[in-house]
Amino acid sequence: MPRPSAPSKAPCPRPPQLDEIAAFTRVAELGSFTAAAAALGVPKSTVSRAVTRLEEGLKVRLLQRSPRAVALTEAGRRFFGDVAPHIAGLRDAAQALDAYQGQPQGLIRLSAPPGSGDTFLGEMLVEFGARYPLLSVEVDLSSRHVDLLREGFDVALRATRELTDSSLVARKIHDSDVQLFASPSYLARRGLPRAMDELAEHERVVFLPNARRGQWPLDHADAVRDAMATGRIATDNFQLIRSVLRAGGGIGPLPRLLAAPDLASGRLVHVLPEWSQRAGTLYLVYASARHVPRNIAVFRDFAMAWLKRLA
């Protein structure tokens, strides 16, 4: 009796090549084979063949192609999430070699939130200028999310819950917490609340979007409490809240980074510091490129280190 043949084994996926992963990553970031080819400085056909070889080697479809658009498949999204940080790290490592070349020089155009202008940004830029005297920085303070490529910005600081532009490289600085603060003069008059229930006895400066919702949840350990949803002064501008608090107008919420200089100088004091609200994340973002210009790279590295130290 003939012996049964062993079941055939499916061929193992071929290990992907670095140039294939780099081509795929750039297409995923820019959403276009044409744009990816321009960014990589190679013909579009080279990028297309590299991605095809990658898919064939992995035996999985990573991109859905149509005449008008390119979209990631579910497998493509997972693969991109795994490899993109490593590709960015390799680019950064190559850029670090520029440290052995001449002093960086030129202009950096920066977009930043309005509140950074009268808190930490000035001090940071002075220190940056002392370290890199041939670089100049042009700052636009705006609450809107500028289009870096279309409007000619090199880098931006963004505080947001979610980044939606996949064409940008985003470096996380820290999670932004909102906490309660007051001036020493106000607390000397009215006393320092020791529990959440005591806030009802105080003058409250509230963030208007929370007031309109009628709630402002604060977290502590496993507890969540609504507080600071109503008050005598309400505004949608944290800079105005900061000004009112420093003038002794009551107790109110501020992002921790915005309050940091006043905490250091003693102009503001933490109130119920164990309670906070997660407001989003502060990112440093810049346009994806094959080679990040050295002036942008040195600003990125300096700003990341400086802001993480402040936070």
Side-chain angles (χ1 to χ4, degrees):
M1 178 180 292
R3 301 175 64 181
S5 59
S8 59
K9 295 183 178 180
C12 296
R14 174 181 61 82
Q17 302 300 303
L18 184 59
D19 64 326
E20 298 167 355
I21 298 175
F24 162 75
T25 302
R26 189 58 84 201
V27 174
E29 290 171 344
L30 301 179
S32 162
F33 280 87
T34 301
L40 293 169
V42 299
K44 178 181 176 182
S45 58
T46 300
V47 176
S48 179
R49 286 195 297 269
V51 174
T52 298
R53 289 197 306 271
L54 177 64
E55 291 177 321
E56 291 175 349
L58 295 175
K59 302 190 180 304
V60 64
R61 174 70 63 130
L62 300 174
L63 296 170
Q64 293 287 3
R65 302 159 175 84
S66 72
R68 293 188 175 183
V70 176
L72 288 166
T73 64
E74 183 62 30
R77 282 191 292 272
R78 180 172 181 178
F79 187 70
F80 176 77
D82 289 338
V83 303
H86 301 290
I87 294 296
L90 291 173
R91 293 176 190 149
D92 291 346
Q95 288 297 316
L97 296 177
D98 287 346
Y100 297 100
Q101 301 176 7
Q103 183 84 323
Q105 54 186 300
L107 173 67
I108 299 170
R109 295 195 69 220
L110 168 68
S111 172
S116 63
D118 59 354
T119 51
F120 62 85
L121 193 56
E123 183 180 350
M124 187 186 83
L125 293 178
V126 169
E127 291 188 23
F128 178 75
R131 183 174 299 184
Y132 300 102
L134 299 182
L135 282 172
S136 56
V137 183
E138 181 181 296
V139 183
D140 178 83
L141 298 177
S142 174
S143 57
R144 69 186 181 89
H145 283 186
V146 301
D147 187 320
L148 267 66
L149 295 176
R150 185 174 301 173
E151 300 182 51
F153 285 95
D154 299 303
V155 64
L157 291 172
R158 288 186 178 171
T160 181
R161 291 182 181 272
E162 182 181 6
L163 289 171
T164 57
D165 192 341
S166 62
S167 68
L168 301 177
V169 177
R171 297 299 175 86
K172 178 180 176 179
I173 297 173
H174 70 91
D175 291 320
S176 177
D177 290 336
V178 174
Q179 295 177 299
L180 298 178
F181 301 90
S183 71
S185 63
Y186 173 82
L187 296 176
R189 294 195 318 269
R190 300 292 299 274
L192 177 66
R194 303 293 181 180
M196 289 287 290
D197 293 339
E198 297 178 20
L199 288 177
E201 304 170 7
H202 285 264
E203 297 292 340
R204 297 179 303 279
V205 184
V206 302
F207 188 52
L208 191 55
N210 297 320
R212 287 171 175 160
R213 290 196 299 267
Q215 60 181 355
W216 194 65
L218 288 168
D219 302 330
H220 169 48
D222 294 328
V224 179
R225 293 281 300 276
D226 276 342
M228 304 298 296
T230 61
R232 194 156 56 90
I233 299 176
T235 176
D236 62 355
N237 185 281
F238 278 124
Q239 289 70 49
L240 179 55
I241 292 178
R242 176 172 172 254
S243 178
V244 172
L245 297 182
R246 292 196 304 183
I251 298 173
L254 286 175
R256 187 177 58 191
L257 188 63
L258 189 62
D262 290 321
L263 281 176
S265 68
R267 298 187 70 175
L268 290 179
V269 177
H270 252 135
V271 175
L272 300 172
E274 67 275 16
W275 293 87
S276 65
Q277 182 192 54
R278 178 59 53 83
T281 302
L282 181 65
Y283 295 93
L284 187 144
V285 300
Y286 53 95
S288 178
R290 184 180 183 185
H291 299 301
V292 179
R294 186 159 182 248
N295 57 350
I296 299 175
V298 297
F299 181 84
R300 172 200 62 201
D301 296 341
F302 177 90
M304 290 287 296
W306 199 93
L307 290 168
K308 284 185 175 182
R309 184 175 72 244
L310 181 64

